[in-house]
Amino acid sequence: MKRLIITADDFGAAREVNDAVEAAHRSGVLTAASLMVAAHLTLLQGRPVLPPSAVPQLVNGAGVFPSNPAVLGTRLTASRAARRQLAAEITAQFAAFSDSGLTLDHCNAHLHFHLHPLVGRLMVLIGSRFGLRAVRLPLEPAAVLRRLERRTWSPSTALTVPFARALRRRLAAAGLLVAERTFGLRWSGQMTEARLAGVIRQLPQGVSEIYLHPATGTYPGAARGYRYAEELQALLAPEVNALCRDSALRLGGFADFAAPAAPATFPRAAVSA
């Protein structure tokens, strides 16, 4: 059986995103959404849940997280205080999600910063106190993409593979569910109808996740060059809907596949750390 999770990232970032997520679930194939618990909240490119004065090593003078993952990664390596503040902030994010009353389906981090070993470790340790059962593993099979488009190799993606494999070992040791493969890294913000349909046709057996960034249009803080409206249309496309009705394919959220006997109850929500 092919099992597929189709996730919308950045839920809560803007009204344009929220409207798209609702439409893609009601009339399309969306089964999960990653909630940014305080508007555009992450460990990068956003504001902390805690007061900036409580996490001074993680933010700049304006109280905002850095945009460059290397900047924050260097601070975490060099500063014990930064590591303590990181643990406090991740705890605050999980607590904020818990206060929403939503069911925690899985966890992922903006820009997949949970590939950082410390962030991944804290996500597992702290998340376990809030009922975390699954985590997105940003590891994409290039062979599948090459069947659709020949030029799919990305140096930046290739550099993350060792970190993703290390994260997979950590998650497995903690007994957390991960999809066996994740699609959306190479074509982030560019998951058109043709690409989405192509990936679904090429899905191997087992659990896969495809994540997109649907929105009804651009919005403040939107990523440059992202084809938000096209990704929404891909989720609503009749051809994609037809492919997802295949009897050999089951849609759901992470939690639906953590317990195979349980009925599907999507959409689920996730916390983006």
Side-chain angles (χ1 to χ4, degrees):
M1 174 70 70
K2 298 177 182 180
R3 292 167 288 172
L4 177 60
I5 303 155
I6 303 180
T7 308
D9 277 8
D10 299 349
F11 186 46
R15 178 63 181 269
E16 291 82 356
V17 177
N18 297 349
D19 288 346
V21 168
E22 181 176 356
H25 169 62
R26 290 184 180 275
S27 304
V29 296
L30 191 69
T31 64
S34 295
L35 175 67
M36 309 190 87
V37 293
H40 199 68
L41 175 67
T42 64
L43 297 173
L44 298 163
Q45 299 177 344
R47 295 182 179 276
V49 167
L50 294 173
S53 59
V55 288
Q57 299 294 322
L58 306 183
V59 298
N60 59 24
V64 178
F65 292 127
S67 297
N68 188 337
V71 171
L72 183 54
T74 300
R75 291 180 190 172
L76 294 175
T77 300
S79 171
R80 183 176 298 176
R83 295 191 290 273
R84 287 196 301 267
Q85 292 166 23
L86 177 71
E89 175 60 22
I90 291 177
T91 301
Q93 291 190 25
F94 272 106
F97 184 90
S98 180
D99 289 344
S100 73
L102 294 169
T103 300
L104 179 59
D105 181 66
H106 73 284
C107 187
N108 62 68
H110 184 48
L111 300 183
H112 296 136
F113 196 52
H114 59 308
L115 287 173
H116 188 290
L118 176 60
V119 177
R121 181 173 68 84
L122 289 175
M123 179 183 287
V124 170
L125 291 174
I126 296 168
S128 65
R129 291 157 34 196
F130 292 88
L132 181 65
R133 300 173 63 196
V135 173
R136 175 186 292 165
L137 179 68
L139 190 59
E140 189 170 43
V144 174
L145 302 185
R146 281 196 295 268
R147 295 187 200 119
L148 304 174
E149 296 180 17
R150 180 169 296 180
R151 296 185 178 182
T152 59
W153 186 80
S154 169
S156 59
T157 301
L159 289 173
T160 68
V161 169
F163 295 96
R165 289 175 175 164
L167 178 62
R168 180 168 57 188
R169 292 191 293 270
R170 181 184 298 279
L171 299 176
L176 295 172
L177 174 69
V178 299
E180 295 163 57
R181 62 202 65 83
T182 300
F183 297 96
L185 282 76
R186 181 67 182 90
W187 294 330
S188 183
Q190 313 291 326
M191 189 64 78
T192 61
E193 177 182 343
R195 285 173 169 171
L196 180 57
V199 170
I200 294 172
R201 288 194 189 94
Q202 296 290 333
L203 284 178
Q205 299 292 319
V207 180
S208 301
E209 181 190 12
I210 304 174
Y211 72 91
L212 302 90
H213 300 82
T216 56
T218 59
Y219 56 91
R224 185 176 181 181
Y226 270 37
R227 296 154 73 172
Y228 292 102
E230 286 188 55
E231 294 206 345
L232 172 57
Q233 291 307 310
L235 291 166
L236 298 172
E239 180 184 5
V240 171
N241 276 259
L243 288 169
C244 289
R245 289 195 294 269
D246 189 318
S247 61
L249 177 66
R250 182 186 171 200
L251 293 179
F254 279 85
D256 299 309
F257 301 136
T265 54
F266 49 79
R268 300 282 187 167
V271 60
S272 283

